[in-house]
């Protein structure tokens, strides 16, 4: 039983990790598009996004930026950019980042000049997906609150009905 509970805890942590990464996807893609449009290289934009996060005063640990920091260290160690981006996409385990990394490696290999346009399209798609995801989460929260609201209704009814029954007997 203890083994199964530990496994469930690990699964819950993995789901929370992926959820935190998905929440940051729109921000990452929009920053990437902005930096590349401003004339930065793919590598420079990647490093700048990571560095900007850690230069803030009150930084809380975010699994996405930890993976990005690990990738920046790989870049400093001399591993090729395409390999670093592929590893980053694989380590995150989130489909969106795998798609982003495929765009970046395709740009490195083929020299795609339309990368900024494709990143803007990806940003628009990510924004709509984010809105849909947040709506779904709101609906789930509303559904989870139905049971406590029902229990509160029963308690209020009991509080109203008990004095009425005891008042009739006197």
């Amino acid at each position: 039983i203890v083994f199964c509970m530990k496994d469930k805890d690990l699964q819950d942590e993995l789901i929370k990790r992926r959820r935190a990464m998905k929440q940051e996807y729109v921000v990452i893609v929009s920053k990437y598009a902005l930096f590349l449009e401003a004339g930065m290289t793919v590598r420079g934009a990647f490093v700048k996004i990571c560095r900007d996060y850690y230069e803030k005063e009150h930084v809380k640990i975010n699994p996405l930026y930890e993976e990005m920091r690990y990738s920046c260290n790989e870049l400093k160690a001399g591993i090729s950019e395409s390999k670093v981006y592929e590893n980053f996409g694989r380590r995150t385990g989130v489909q969106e980042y795998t798609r982003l990394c495929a765009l970046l490696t395709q740009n490195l290999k083929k020299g795609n000049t339309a990368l900024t346009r494709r990143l803007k399209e990806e940003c628009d798609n990510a924004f709509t997906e984010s809105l849909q995801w947040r709506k779904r989460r709101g609906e789930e929260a509303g559904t989870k609150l139905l049971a406590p609201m029902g229990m509160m209704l029963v308690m209020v009814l009991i509080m109203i009905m008990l004095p009425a029954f005891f008042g009739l007997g006197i």
Side-chain angles (χ1 to χ4, degrees):
I1 294 174
V2 172
F3 180 74
C4 291
M5 293 303 288
K6 290 279 187 187
D7 192 40
K8 184 174 178 356
D9 291 342
L10 277 174
Q11 287 292 336
D12 291 343
E13 286 181 34
L14 182 65
I15 289 170
K16 285 180 186 176
R17 179 178 185 267
R18 287 185 178 163
R19 204 174 274 162
M21 287 184 179
K22 279 187 176 186
Q23 287 178 341
E24 288 291 321
Y25 183 68
V26 176
V27 175
I28 295 292
V29 172
S30 61
K31 282 183 181 180
Y32 235 113
L34 179 72
F35 290 150
L36 291 178
E37 196 169 303
M40 287 185 109
T41 62
V42 174
R43 179 183 186 150
F46 189 84
V47 172
K48 179 148 179 63
I49 290 169
C50 183
R51 192 178 333 125
D52 286 349
Y53 180 77
Y54 283 106
E55 287 178 355
K56 292 179 185 175
E57 288 182 22
H58 303 289
V59 177
K60 62 180 184 179
I61 295 175
N62 188 324
L64 171 66
Y65 291 102
E66 289 295 318
E67 292 296 336
M68 287 183 81
R69 182 197 282 180
Y70 187 80
S71 296
C72 287
N73 289 337
E74 285 181 339
L75 285 171
K76 287 179 187 175
I79 299 174
S80 69
E81 276 187 72
S82 60
K83 187 70 174 169
V84 168
Y85 298 141
E86 288 172 10
N87 290 341
F88 173 71
R90 198 174 304 120
R91 275 194 318 266
T92 58
V94 178
Q95 180 185 6
E96 288 86 356
Y97 289 105
T98 306
R99 194 169 50 227
L100 175 66
C101 291
L103 277 174
L104 298 177
T105 54
Q106 178 184 1
N107 177 56
L108 290 173
K109 291 178 182 175
K110 297 181 180 178
N112 191 354
T113 57
L115 179 64
T116 55
R117 181 181 50 80
R118 294 187 70 195
L119 277 174
K120 284 182 180 179
E121 291 172 2
E122 184 69 26
C123 186
D124 292 339
N125 291 339
F127 186 71
T128 56
E129 285 178 18
S130 175
L131 284 177
Q132 290 173 353
W133 182 76
R134 291 178 197 279
K135 283 181 184 177
R136 229 178 303 126
R137 294 281 300 174
E139 291 169 358
E140 289 174 7
T143 304
K144 287 179 182 177
L145 289 175
L146 282 177
M149 285 179 13
M151 291 185 341
M152 286 176 53
L153 176 65
V154 170
M155 293 296 286
V156 168
L157 288 175
I158 289 173
M159 288 175 19
I160 291 172
M161 298 302 276
L162 278 177
F165 283 127
F166 289 127
L168 289 177
I170 295 177

